[in-house]
Amino acid sequence: MYSNVASALAAFLVEQRSGLPFDEFTKKYIFEPLQLDRTHWFYDEDKSRDYAKLYEINVPDLPFYKYLVNEDKSVKPYTSIIYPDGSLKSSLGDMIKYVQESSKGITVVPNC
């Protein structure tokens, strides 16, 4: 089960334990070692063309829909004050690198 509050709490615990803001911690210990040069937490206009895009197609009749969605149905970029709960910005290439690295050493046991 996913929880935004749990993600924010986990980030807070990382900050308390490491003494670093969560965005700096992830940059130093995850993004830089894996060479995820197009991955970061806060919107950056210069890097925005490389972001993987979210798409929303389900609720065009909502009054605020036009403020959230571009003409191509992609969700406009955003950053949340509680950014560790889902505001990561990344490129497809960086996401592929991350998945490849995170899958190393994982043993899948069937029927468990």
Side-chain angles (χ1 to χ4, degrees):
M1 181 162 92
Y2 179 82
S3 166
N4 285 354
V5 172
S7 296
L9 178 59
F12 175 74
L13 294 174
V14 167
E15 290 180 340
Q16 293 302 301
R17 202 66 181 137
S18 70
L20 294 171
F22 186 70
D23 62 309
E24 290 179 24
F25 180 90
T26 54
K27 181 179 179 181
K28 181 176 181 178
Y29 292 104
I30 299 172
F31 306 156
E32 287 178 351
L34 296 179
Q35 298 177 351
L36 305 180
D37 303 322
R38 300 270 187 218
T39 301
H40 48 276
W41 290 104
F42 304 107
Y43 181 77
D44 182 328
E45 182 70 35
D46 294 333
K47 296 178 183 178
S48 65
R49 65 181 178 80
D50 294 326
Y51 293 163
K53 292 183 180 178
L54 298 173
Y55 285 88
E56 171 60 54
I57 58 171
N58 298 323
V59 286
D61 54 340
L62 291 174
F64 51 86
Y65 182 81
K66 66 182 178 182
Y67 301 108
L68 301 175
V69 179
N70 295 311
E71 287 184 26
D72 68 352
K73 305 287 187 198
S74 63
V75 176
K76 292 182 180 181
Y78 65 92
T79 297
S80 171
I81 193 167
I82 50 171
Y83 64 92
D85 72 1
S87 291
L88 187 67
K89 312 294 187 253
S90 189
S91 68
L92 178 59
D94 276 8
M95 290 192 305
I96 289 170
K97 279 189 217 176
Y98 179 78
V99 169
Q100 288 173 331
E101 287 298 319
S102 65
S103 66
K104 288 181 180 177
I106 295 174
T107 303
V108 178
V109 180
N111 302 320
C112 287

